[in-house]
Every structure is written in C-alpha cells, then in structure tokens.
Amino acid sequence: MNVLDSNTKTSFFDKEPMFIYDYYSFKIVDVSDIAIDLYGFTKDEFLSKKISDLGDRVQVSACNYNKSIDLNPTEVWKHRSKDEKEWHVQLTTHHFKYNDQPVKIAVAHNIEHLIHQKEVQVHSFPKIDTVQAHIPMGMVEWDRDYNVRDWSEKTSDIFGWSYEEVIGRNIFDLEFLPPELISGIRQRFKNLLAKKEVYFSVDSKHVKKTGEQIFCRWHNAIVYDSLGNAVSIYSMLEDNTEKRNASLKLKESEEIFRVLTEASFVGIYMIQDDVFKYVNPRLCEMSGYNQHELVNKINPIHLVHPENVQKFTRLQDMWRRDYIESFEIEVKINTKDFSTLHVKTYGSTIQLNGRPALIGVSLDQTEQVMAARELKTSLKSYKSLFDSIGDAIYIQNAEADFIEVNRGATKMYGYDKSEFLGKKPDFLSAPGKVDMEVAFKKFDLALNGSPQSFMWWGKRKNGEVFPKEITLSQGHYFGEKVVIAIARDISEKYSRDKTLKQNEELFRQLFQNSPMGIALLDQHNDVMMINDGFEKIFGYSIDDVKGLCLDNIIVPEESKNRAKDLSNSEIPFTYTSKRKHKYGKLVDVLICGVPIKIEGNTIAIYGIYVDISDRIQSEQKNIEALREKEILLSEIHHRVKNNLAVITGLLELQSHNLESLEAKSALKDSQLRINSMALIHEKLYQNESLSQINFNRYIKELVDVIQHSHEKKDAKLLINLDVENIKLPITKAIPCGLIINEIVTNSLKHAFDGIDNPTISISLNKKGESIVLSISDNGIGLPDKFDNLESNSLGIILIKTLSNQIESTLSVNGVNGTEFKLKFKVVLNQDAMKLGR
C-alpha cells in the first residue's frame, strides 16, 4: 500500500479506492490502483467479482442477508481485503457511461475512524460526497424495468417499509402506491419517453405501513443512454402531509401557507484531448446542447464566456503541466441560445483508456448569483440546500447540543452561528413560558425515532418573545445519530388565529342572538346548527333537528319540489312561503338562502327565516278593505248613471208638453249633455279600473248617440275618427265628453246648410307628453263677425269653462270649415287625487 508524502500534492482521487461496476449486474469492470493496493486482489480477481462481494452492508443482519440477492451498495458497508482485514466504508456512487455501457462509479470512503470514535469530524468527507444522507427528502432509484435499486433511510422513514422489504421489487407492486398514482405515472413515463424529456414531478396520496395516510411529492429524473433508451429513474420524495394539512387549515381561515422545496441535479462531465468524452443529461440541459453535439466535438473552452477564457486557459495549462491534479473554479458559460450561466465546476484527474483525463461536476448557480451577489462560497454537498430553506433548522447531537444551524436560524433569533454551536436550546427559550423538562423529554423521544411536533415560545437576542412551531425528527449526520429540529416563526399565524377565534365568537353571538331564525345546513341539506330565533319561530330545538333534512321537517308537502330546487341553488335567493311549526300550524315566512362556497364548491348553506305572519295578515286586511271600496265606488258610478238617466227621461217628458221649438231644442241639448256624462259613469262601473276609461271606445259610442239624435232623412253624414287607444281619468274624461258633445251638436245644427257631403272629423292622439283632441267639420265655417272665443253663447262658455277645467290650451280655426283643438297633459296620480277630493 503506497504511503504518500505529506508534502506531496495529492488529489482526492489518489487517496480513495474507486470502482466502476455494471449498472445492472453490479459486476466490477474497472478499479483504481489504490483499490488494488488496499484490498490485495489483482485486477483480474476484481473483474471476476461484483461490488457487493467486497463485504457486507452493516444495516443488514447476518440472519437476513442473502448473498444471492444483489443489494445496491450504498450507505455503510464492512469491506474485507484478501488477507481478511476488515474496515468500514461508505460508498459514494454516480451513474455515467463507460465504453458506451451504463455503469456506476463508486468511491469507497474509509470511515473506520468514525465508527470507533464518538467525535465525528463534520467536514471530513470530500467535496463529491453524496447529499443523500443530509437532505430532508427520501431517495429512490429504479432500473429500466421499474425494479427498486436503491431505497434511502429517509424513504423508509416516510413509508415505513425498510430497504430489505422493497429492494429488487417492482415499484408498481409496492403496497403503498395507490392504483390511480400507478396509472398516472405509467402514462407520464410513456409521454416523457416519447419526447425524450428528463424531469417531472407528481403529487400523491399513500398509506404507510402503519395504516397512516400521508401525502408526498415525487421529483423524478430519467437517465437515458446514447441511443435514447431509458436506463434508470431517480426519485426524490417530500413528505408533504403536515404542509398539506396546514395548508387546508389555513384555507378555512382564509390564509394559505405553502412551502416549496426543490432539488436539483449537478452536471457531470469527462474531458480528454480537449473535448468532452462524456456529459450527463443535466449538463446538456444546462448548456442547451445535446450529447451528440458535445461529445467528441466541442472543446470546453468554447463554452466559456470571454471574460473568463484567460482564467480557464491558465487553469487548463497548469493541469496539463501536472501542477495540479484537481481544481474548482467559478466561471460564466455561454449556452447554445447565447444566454449566460454562472457555474461552479470541480475537476480531478483520472485515467481513461490508459491516458489522463478530467472528471468533474458543474453546478448551475445562476439563480443564486442573480438573487444574491454576495453568495461567493461554493455550493458544497447539502449546505446549499440547508441554508436555502427559510425555516430555522438545527442539528443537535445526543446531548442536545447544537452542532449545525442554517441561515434561517440566525435570522430568526439574531445570533451568529458561532453563538449557537455547543449550546443547548434552553438559551433560546422565553423564561416562564417554556417547560424545559417537557421539551427535553420530547427531544429524547425524537432521538429514539418518534417524531415530535409542538408549539414553543422563543426569545430573540433583542429580547423579543415570539411563538414558533417545532418539529423534531431523528437523523444521521456524518455517521452520528442526531435530532433535526425545524422551527417556524408563527407570530403572524398566532395573531391571525387569535383574531379568528375572536371573530368566531362574534359570529357565534350574532348567530345565536339574531331575532331571525337561522339554520346552517350541510351540502345534503341536513341541519348542522340552528339559533334561538329558529326555535322561537318553528318550536324545534337543536336536538330535535340536528342531522336531519330540514325540508322533510318544516316544508309542507305541496312545497317540497320548489324547496328542493332552491336548496340546490348555486346563488343566493329570497322568496316568501309557508313552513310548518313543530305543532303543525303553518307559518308565513320570508326565506333567504345563502350558499357557502370554497373553491367553487358549495359546502354548506345558510337558511334565514323571518316570521311575516303579522305582515301577511295586515296585507290581507288592506286587500279586503280596498275591495270593499272598489265595490262601493262601482255602485256609486252605477247609481249616478241611473240618476242621470232619470233626469234625461224627465227632460224628455217635459219636452212633450212644450210647444216652443226653442225650448224643446234647449231641453234636447241638455239631454245630450247629461247623456255624455252618464255614458262615462256607465263605462267606469263596467270597467276593471274605476278611475279611468278607454276614451277611444267612449268617443265612438258618444258620437253614435249624438248622430242618432240629429239624424236627418235627406242628409248623409260622414264621421271620421282617428282615435288612439288612450285611457283618461274621470277628471279629464267628463269635460272632454261634454266638449265633444257641444262641438259636434253645434256642427250638426249650424254647419252643413247647403253642404253636399257633410263630414265631421275627430282625432285623439298622444304627442310627446301631451294629448291633442281635435274636432272639425267641412261646414260653412264661422260667421265673419265671430269674435273667436269671446262669444257669450252657452256652448262657447261651456267649451271655455271645460277647457280651463282640464288645464288645456284651446284654439279655434274658422277657415274651410271649423276646427276646435285642445292640448292638455294627463298625470294619472294627480288626476286620481282630484277625483278623490
């Protein structure tokens, strides 16, 4: 075994034994010289072995370990040399292609000193160390046939199935995967494989081995070979159960908290003769080139940004001259689409086909650089992820001393990291608000594998006291069993919860003390709560109706279909109906339904009831009183019409006893005037409305009566009517009827002497807000000495008086016959008031 001089510059790869083994069979296909020296086997002897033949996995007891089963060589193993010497190793593995075959490279870290010493050197592992043991996620690797090849301890914690129970099994046959997830993942794989895509994530629900239901997010990456065939699938799992439950709870109180944790993969490359010999899919994704465009074609320096070419060239020259065997460098690179990435690259010397080559990893830290320029430290192992989480995270040893904290912890408390390390959590507690004895008992339970969650009161460096939620879980940190504590400041949530409780109490009092009856129903219309007002209206207590369908209790049989339709309404509604009291009587109620929706789904409905029995009774009394008044008014119109008919009859009898033609004519004119009024009263008591009549019908009947009274055997009179369907109140109808009677009667008496085709035209039209009444004839016109409307004849006086009564404008035209035109407005409410007076 070679002993390296301490002053000699050596790389990590010169100190650690390395193996390359077949991805599927685990058969060793190449070893490093240091491995041959350390184990004592010849290279041919190594090539006849599998990687699992070098020792035993210490987590597998002797009684359970079956050498015929190919176990995935991860975590801690006990290796043996050819001369039977034993030591503990931890294997770091990574997948790549070797001689165009899928293989894994394994580095065997000697951790014997960690096994036998209590004190663990936290940063003793090299930079290429896996983050699997330190990230808060489970990790699973499947082969191309979906058989489980790797199963981390965190994954066992999540699902409850151990490494031995699942290794080698088809992942779709595992009991905790629900059928709908299996179907979904198979379809996603089919789509991804068709498109040659790499990454996808999926949320799922599972049942742990204990029967407990959990919710997880799977982050998956597919690895392809050079032919585009899927080689394996890597999955990282988050247990989102607590986050999901917390999110649902916050939704109900109108706050949603969401925590997103993402994991990324690093780019892997091998360089020889100034060209890429191998690149993994992540490096292709970072650069924008595919494997065919990079491998054996592109010099890495062509990807380097011009600002960093000199720096990279100098480093490359030092490596060629053997001044350095490993390096790390931060550079900017240009992608295929001419965008710029900030990357950190690690590289070390290896032998590839018997000649020197570089193997390394590249980390895309563009987002970190753009988000925070001060972030200049390397992204090493788990530390980047550890510090990027916003919650405070502490790692405590078995004595509860802090051995590591993240940036979230320093921000939360205001202490520097150095002020945490070596201290116990009691220095962070709020005096008088925390029982440390109980807290340490919870710590012991977590250390022994029983996770703990509880609320705690902390005290910042500035003296501020605040509430926080703490989750304690068991973990392993560089071989040491530890407790990982995650703390979240819940000051805002605590304040919101307090306000929510106050609002709930206010709502409860409002609900219970409301004078209206209120029932809270679920989506099936079953009663969840009722208030005192509901009990007063319907007589039911909560014990009488809770859990029962409300429609079956208070809705009368004839109203159930209508009630069912309203219960299924998606929008608020209001209507009046009758509902049954506990003792059978019907209650008139105003009903308001208010659906309660969350994310578009109706989860409950408020039924609000107002007893309107008194109002309904009052309205019924008013209706009955109004009906009595209408009957009385109709009788009055009828009697007025009859009385006017009696007067007309008396005038008719009187005219028979008179010899004076002038007196008889005067009585006839009076009869016509009375008939015009009687006809209106007749129309009113025959009409549904007692305050207005259809005036177009009235005009036709009135003119017929007038024409019949003056009809001459030797004259053929033509009546032209242009009358719209207009309703007039009695206050307008009677004056207008008398005016029409006076004018038409006057035309029949005096206008048509010597006229061959006597014609009378009457029009009634609405123009704007006014009504225009026109009565005209084609007679001889007015006499030359007629002084317009200044005449003292009884007819003109009546026309003027009645015109003023209806507040109209009156005009007379005596050319080519005679025309009287009246223009007036009708306001029904005002005319009805005049009628009432």
Side-chain angles (χ1 to χ4, degrees), residues 30 64 106 116-117 164 176 199 221 246 251 334 349 404 430 455 471 483 513 549 579 614 623 630 648 662 669 751 821:
D30 203 353
N64 292 329
H116 297 290
Q117 296 178 11
E164 291 78 10
F176 58 84
Y199 300 105
K251 277 187 179 179
N334 294 323
T349 303
E404 183 66 283
M455 178 182 164
T471 301
V483 168
N513 299 327
C549 178
R579 292 294 183 261
D614 293 341
I623 291 172
E630 288 176 347
T648 303
E662 185 177 353
D669 290 344
K821 184 178 289 186

Side-chain angles (χ1 to χ4, degrees), residues 231-340:
V231 175
S232 61
I233 302 100
Y234 290 89
S235 299
M236 301 181 71
L237 295 92
E238 296 179 84
D239 183 351
N240 287 332
T241 306
E242 292 186 6
K243 297 177 186 177
R244 185 180 183 277
N245 292 339
S247 177
L248 291 175
K249 185 177 180 181
L250 289 176
K251 277 187 179 179
E252 294 174 0
S253 56
E254 300 182 348
E255 281 295 329
I256 302 174
F257 285 93
R258 189 179 179 190
V259 179
L260 300 176
T261 305
E262 297 180 351
S264 63
F265 293 85
V266 297
I268 307 295
Y269 62 86
M270 296 176 68
I271 301 173
Q272 191 177 59
D273 299 328
D274 292 334
V275 293
F276 289 109
K277 292 298 183 180
Y278 167 78
V279 292
N280 73 338
R282 176 57 180 153
L283 192 64
C284 292
E285 183 184 8
M286 290 166 57
S287 66
Y289 295 94
N290 60 41
Q291 287 183 324
H292 297 293
E293 292 173 318
L294 287 174
V295 175
N296 293 320
K297 294 179 181 178
I298 291 184
N299 188 326
I301 200 167
H302 293 159
L303 301 180
V304 179
H305 191 276
E307 293 179 7
N308 298 132
V309 168
Q310 185 177 358
K311 173 182 173 182
F312 190 83
T313 303
R314 185 168 57 251
L315 188 69
Q316 193 178 48
D317 184 61
M318 292 175 64
W319 178 77
R320 287 198 188 102
R321 294 169 181 264
D322 294 330
Y323 292 163
I324 56 174
E325 294 184 353
S326 63
F327 63 86
E328 64 179 69
I329 184 175
E330 294 183 11
V331 295
K332 292 191 291 186
I333 66 169
N334 294 323
T335 65
K336 186 177 180 180
D337 62 1
F338 303 107
S339 60
T340 301

